């Protein structure tokens, strides 16, 4: 099931990514678009290694007695967020942040739009391999994950756009470069943490189901439903905004010769 889900979600992300690349003006970046995708394929493996490292470090801090880090967190809600942050959001986004920076270094994007493409490419590669490895073994979990096939693409699109804004601010001599560089990491990690705290690491819902506690079960379910609906809406809205602002973002150059805005024939 994981292989099937990886192929399906990876293909959907690839189609979306190619369409985004084709919209770039005055011309697409071409074969270089494959570089961030290739880098993204390595990210799940390195993030898993980082997760193991975090686990070993936590074990040393707790005296090596084998206790779960979650046992040191006082409430089920906090357990959900701590588990989501340490178990997925931080290690995954940290590694992807590194690969997005590497993609920027290798490709040298001409504009903020192209910088966003590099993030989307890393997210596409990451999605393909992550879904193959952790996509689940049953059709139900696969169906639940399907509406969120572009989540990592969007996380890294946001990350790269903020990095592009940071580079643009620095090149323009303005004072917002550091702010945008911080937001490039914080925003995807925060959204990722909230999303996973409501889904994979939702201890409120899990304990409610295990103990048949109606209050916990309903509270966990409502939390999950709200986050899922908002995430779908934000995912769609951000992709639409990125498309609508194509010419503006393409005109915000990151090189000495900034690309000019593209005009349709009716405007010329």
């Amino acid at each position: 099931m994981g292989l099937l889900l990886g192929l399906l979600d990876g293909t959907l992300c690839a189609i979306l990514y190619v369409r985004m690349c084709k919209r770039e003006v005055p011309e697409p970046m071409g074969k270089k678009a494959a570089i961030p995708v290739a880098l993204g394929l390595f990210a799940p493996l390195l993030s898993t290694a980082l997760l193991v490292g975090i686990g070993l470090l936590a074990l040393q801090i707790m005296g090596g007695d084998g206790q779960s880090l979650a046992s040191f967190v006082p409430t089920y809600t906090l357990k959900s967020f701590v588990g989501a942050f340490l178990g997925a959001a931080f290690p995954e986004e940290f590694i992807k942040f590194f690969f997005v920076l590497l993609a920027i270094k290798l490709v040298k994007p001409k504009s903020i739009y192209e910088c966003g493409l590099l993030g989307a490419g890393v997210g596409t590669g990451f999605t393909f391999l992550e879904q193959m490895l952790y996509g689940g073994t049953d059709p139900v979990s696969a169906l639940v994950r399907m509406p969120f096939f572009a989540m990592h693409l969007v996380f890294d699109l946001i990350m790269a756009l903020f990095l592009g804004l940071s580079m643009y601010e620095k090149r323009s001599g303005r004072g917002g470069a550091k702010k945008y560089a911080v937001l490039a990491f914080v925003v995807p990690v925060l959204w990722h943490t909230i999303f996973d705290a409501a889904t994979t690491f939702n201890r409120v819902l899990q304990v409610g189901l295990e103990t048949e506690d109606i209050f916990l079960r309903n509270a966990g379910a409502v939390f999950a439903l709200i986050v899922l609906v908002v995430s779908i809406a934000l995912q769609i809205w951000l992709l639409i905004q990125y498309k609508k602002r194509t010419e503006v973002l393409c005109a915000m150059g990151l090189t000495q010769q900034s690309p000019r805005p593209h005009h349709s024939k009716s405007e010329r």
Side-chain angles (χ1 to χ4, degrees):
M1 184 57 67
L3 176 60
L4 179 62
L5 189 62
L7 288 172
L8 182 58
D9 284 7
T11 299
L12 290 174
C13 280
I15 292 172
L16 183 59
Y17 178 56
V18 169
R19 290 174 63 88
M20 293 163 68
C21 289
K22 287 182 177 180
R23 286 199 299 267
E24 185 182 5
V25 292
E27 60 183 4
M29 63 176 166
K31 295 180 180 180
K32 288 183 178 180
I35 292 176
V37 178
L39 293 174
L41 289 171
F42 292 97
L45 301 176
L46 291 181
S47 63
T48 300
L50 180 58
L51 176 59
V52 172
I54 291 173
L56 292 174
L57 178 61
L59 196 62
Q60 290 296 318
I61 293 173
M62 293 183 295
D65 56 5
Q67 294 186 67
S68 169
L69 183 62
S71 65
F72 290 81
V73 182
T75 68
Y76 293 131
T77 302
L78 284 177
K79 290 180 192 293
S80 300
F81 282 95
V82 171
F85 176 76
L86 293 178
F90 175 74
E92 290 181 4
E93 298 308 325
F94 180 82
I95 294 298
K96 290 191 292 175
F97 188 75
F98 168 78
F99 277 123
V100 171
L101 287 174
L102 181 57
I104 290 173
K105 183 71 173 177
L106 293 173
V107 177
K108 296 178 175 57
K110 302 185 297 293
S111 65
I112 291 181
Y113 183 88
E114 191 164 295
C115 198
L117 287 179
L118 300 181
V122 171
T124 297
F126 184 92
T127 297
F128 176 73
L129 192 58
E130 189 207 35
Q131 295 291 55
M132 286 184 63
L133 296 174
Y134 311 114
T137 57
D138 61 278
V140 175
S141 64
L143 287 173
V144 170
R145 295 169 72 99
M146 273 300 299
F148 309 99
F149 74 90
M151 287 301 296
H152 283 291
L153 183 152
V154 171
F155 289 156
D156 301 331
L157 173 63
I158 295 171
M159 182 184 290
L161 285 174
F162 275 127
L163 285 173
L165 284 169
S166 177
M167 295 163 63
Y168 185 78
E169 289 284 298
K170 184 177 181 179
R171 181 176 175 273
S172 304
R174 300 173 183 173
K178 292 182 179 179
K179 177 187 70 176
Y180 287 121
V182 171
L183 289 173
F185 185 68
V186 171
V187 172
V189 169
L190 181 60
W191 186 0
H192 196 159
T193 299
I194 295 172
F195 183 81
D196 278 13
T199 52
T200 307
F201 295 88
N202 192 336
R203 287 294 294 160
V204 179
L205 179 59
Q206 292 169 5
V207 173
L209 292 172
E210 291 169 1
T211 63
E212 298 184 354
D213 186 312
I214 297 176
F215 174 77
L216 288 178
R217 183 187 65 194
N218 291 343
V222 170
F223 175 44
L225 182 62
I226 291 173
V227 172
L228 291 176
V229 171
V230 171
S231 291
I232 290 177
L234 277 175
Q235 179 179 275
I236 295 172
W237 181 80
L238 284 166
L239 289 172
I240 290 174
Q241 290 303 309
Y242 184 63
K243 179 180 180 180
K244 288 175 64 175
R245 297 172 184 267
T246 295
E247 293 190 8
V248 173
L249 294 174
C250 286
M252 298 175 74
L254 300 177
T255 58
Q256 291 300 319
Q257 293 183 342
S258 302
R260 298 179 180 178
H262 174 75
H263 298 286
S264 62
K265 292 182 180 179
S266 60
E267 295 173 323
R268 290 176 182 173

